[in-house]
Amino acid sequence: MKSYKNLKEEVWDTNRCSGCGACVAVCPVNNLYFREESPVKFECDECSCIIVPADIVEHPISAEFCKTVVYDVPCGACYDACPRIKKSAIPKPKGLGNILKAVRAKASIEIKNAQNGGVVTAILANAFDEGLIDGAIVMMDDKWTLEPESYLALSKEDVLKSAGSKYLWKGPILKALKTAVMEKKLKKLAVVGTPCVINAIYQILSSDNDLLKPFREAIRLKIALFCFETYDYSKMIKKLNEDGIEPWEVKKMDIESGKLKITLINGNTVEYKLKDVESAMRNGCKVCGDFTGLTSDISVGNVGTEKGYSTVLIRNKWGEGFFKRAVYNGYITYDENVDLEAVEKLVELKKKRVKKD
């Protein structure tokens, strides 16, 4: 039976961890955590345990009471939930993947802080209104500090508050998954995240591990966000401060044409070439070749359409149903004027970066 030690060997120690938090969320004894959640760790011998400062690492840490390791109890939940183990269920990135329909879309409802077309928020808002979902895992950030956190939206109003893309990482987005499934007992859950997050959900859905069954039964919709890379919160805030920018001055961030574009609340913009902020990029991003989220039901991003719209890749009938219902109910308008070549260019660019590294 696999344990976190196998996960450590294959993923953590090889700098492949994306920081999605799937392993932390599904651990039945809360053995795993990220340093950002607790700056200390335990070191144990046969007689006692002591608390010491946690190492500065980008992967989870064990609290050293894994029942598989200590008592040989069958588990393996953390290992089986990780999309980056050697024999994962994740298909290798290949072009744009399966697409039923590609469209240009925007929300028809008012969404404050919408990143571009506001399509993801509109789909979730309609789903809540119709009772298609009973929860949605999204990211929320503090508009004053830009600190992001995993957020369990339980209503239309909650998802409207969480609108807007987040490019900073300070904790796993799937942290809220355990709360949603094991505490709230939700049964119709939507998950929104970058490709690595959606791959983790796909991995869970593909697993036959009995301990993952409650999670498999609870997840209803997977929405992926186009992603080239994400940035460590502390490192990016330090970079901004060095350039005289306070977190509260930032209105939104976008990655466009090979640049990180930061729009300030006064209307000014600051642009960085991606290579100039590479030091803030998480190590796990460097091994990811999936730009659009191939294992999602719906993929959404700002590449391939003009400002104010979103490119939407509907990947299966399940995703098509959620999208069409939002359209029929007046939450979204769309047409087929989308530039897929622009999306394909970034898909290939991201794959080339992985091969180069």
Side-chain angles (χ1 to χ4, degrees):
M1 176 63 68
K2 301 287 188 179
S3 73
Y4 83 88
K5 289 193 172 183
N6 301 98
L7 189 58
K8 180 177 184 296
E9 179 184 353
E10 291 184 26
V11 181
W12 301 353
D13 291 348
T14 57
N15 288 324
R16 297 182 59 80
C17 177
S18 70
C20 70
C23 59
V24 175
V26 303
C27 177
V29 295
N30 297 318
N31 176 54
L32 304 178
Y33 62 96
F34 280 88
R35 183 183 186 277
E36 286 76 8
E37 298 171 298
S38 175
V40 301
K41 67 176 182 178
F42 298 91
E43 287 190 357
C44 305
D45 56 28
E46 294 181 357
C47 299
S48 63
C49 294
I50 59 173
I51 297 176
V52 297
D55 298 327
I56 299 178
V57 292
E58 293 188 359
H59 58 71
I61 300 168
S62 170
E64 304 302 342
F65 50 82
C66 171
K67 290 190 175 181
T68 299
V69 174
V70 179
Y71 302 114
D72 202 27
V73 174
C75 180
C78 63
Y79 184 87
D80 290 337
C82 180
R84 295 191 174 177
I85 56 175
K86 290 180 180 179
K87 295 183 179 181
S88 76
I90 310 305
K92 292 183 178 180
K94 188 175 181 180
L96 294 176
N98 184 65
I99 299 175
L100 291 186
K101 196 168 189 177
V103 301
R104 179 185 76 160
K106 65 178 179 179
S108 300
I109 60 173
E110 183 178 351
I111 302 175
K112 186 179 180 181
N113 298 321
Q115 191 77 4
N116 290 289
V119 171
V120 172
T121 303
I123 291 173
L124 295 178
N126 176 73
F128 270 117
D129 267 356
E130 291 200 279
L132 305 180
I133 59 174
D134 54 12
I137 294 178
V138 295
M139 288 297 284
M140 182 80 83
D141 62 5
D142 184 323
K143 301 302 180 186
W144 184 258
T145 65
L146 293 185
E147 286 188 70
E149 65 174 342
S150 176
Y151 182 67
L152 176 59
L154 296 172
S155 66
K156 172 182 175 179
E157 290 70 30
D158 282 347
V159 295
L160 291 174
K161 287 191 301 184
S162 67
S165 299
K166 285 77 178 176
Y167 289 88
L168 305 183
W169 188 99
K170 199 184 178 183
I173 185 172
L174 291 179
K175 179 181 179 181
L177 183 61
K178 177 171 284 187
T179 300
V181 176
M182 306 307 290
E183 296 179 22
K184 299 290 185 181
K185 307 297 182 183
L186 301 183
K187 295 296 183 182
K188 300 178 290 185
L189 190 63
V191 179
V192 179
T194 52
C196 58
V197 171
I198 300 306
N199 282 345
I201 297 301
Y202 183 89
Q203 178 75 9
I204 291 171
L205 294 174
S206 302
S207 173
D208 59 3
N209 187 313
D210 287 342
L211 291 171
L212 299 181
K213 184 178 179 180
F215 300 94
R216 290 195 295 270
E217 293 178 341
I219 296 164
R220 175 167 283 189
L221 177 66
K222 311 183 300 298
I223 301 180
L225 307 174
F226 292 3
C227 178
F228 205 80
E229 58 198 45
T230 56
Y231 302 101
D232 178 86
Y233 171 79
S234 297
K235 292 178 180 178
M236 182 56 74
I237 293 301
K238 181 180 179 181
K239 173 67 174 174
L240 294 178
N241 286 339
E242 288 173 349
D243 293 337
I245 302 172
E246 296 292 339
W248 56 263
E249 294 182 280
V250 176
K251 183 177 181 180
K252 68 174 184 176
M253 295 183 180
D254 284 298
I255 292 182
E256 298 178 358
S257 303
K259 296 179 180 179
L260 175 65
K261 182 179 178 181
I262 299 176
T263 303
L264 305 180
I265 55 175
N266 62 10
N268 293 337
T269 60
V270 178
E271 294 185 352
Y272 296 101
K273 293 180 180 179
L274 293 186
K275 64 179 182 179
D276 293 335
V277 290
E278 188 174 359
S279 60
M281 180 173 64
R282 289 179 53 78
N283 284 323
C285 296
K286 298 176 183 178
V287 300
C288 176
D290 186 356
F291 174 66
T292 60
L294 301 175
T295 59
S296 65
D297 301 312
I298 304 172
S299 298
V300 182
N302 67 338
V303 180
T305 54
E306 64 269 34
K307 187 176 181 180
Y309 287 85
S310 298
T311 293
V312 181
L313 307 180
I314 301 171
R315 298 194 177 276
N316 53 39
K317 289 292 185 180
W318 202 261
E320 184 179 42
F322 274 90
F323 183 80
K324 281 187 172 180
R325 293 184 76 99
V327 172
Y328 293 154
N329 290 326
Y331 278 74
I332 292 171
T333 59
Y334 77 96
D335 58 47
E336 297 183 12
N337 186 22
V338 57
D339 181 6
L340 285 183
E341 288 187 5
V343 182
E344 289 171 341
K345 285 181 180 179
L346 279 183
V347 166
E348 292 305 314
L349 185 61
K350 188 170 185 181
K351 286 196 294 186
K352 285 180 181 177
R353 183 179 70 181
V354 174
K355 291 178 181 178
K356 183 174 66 175
D357 291 342

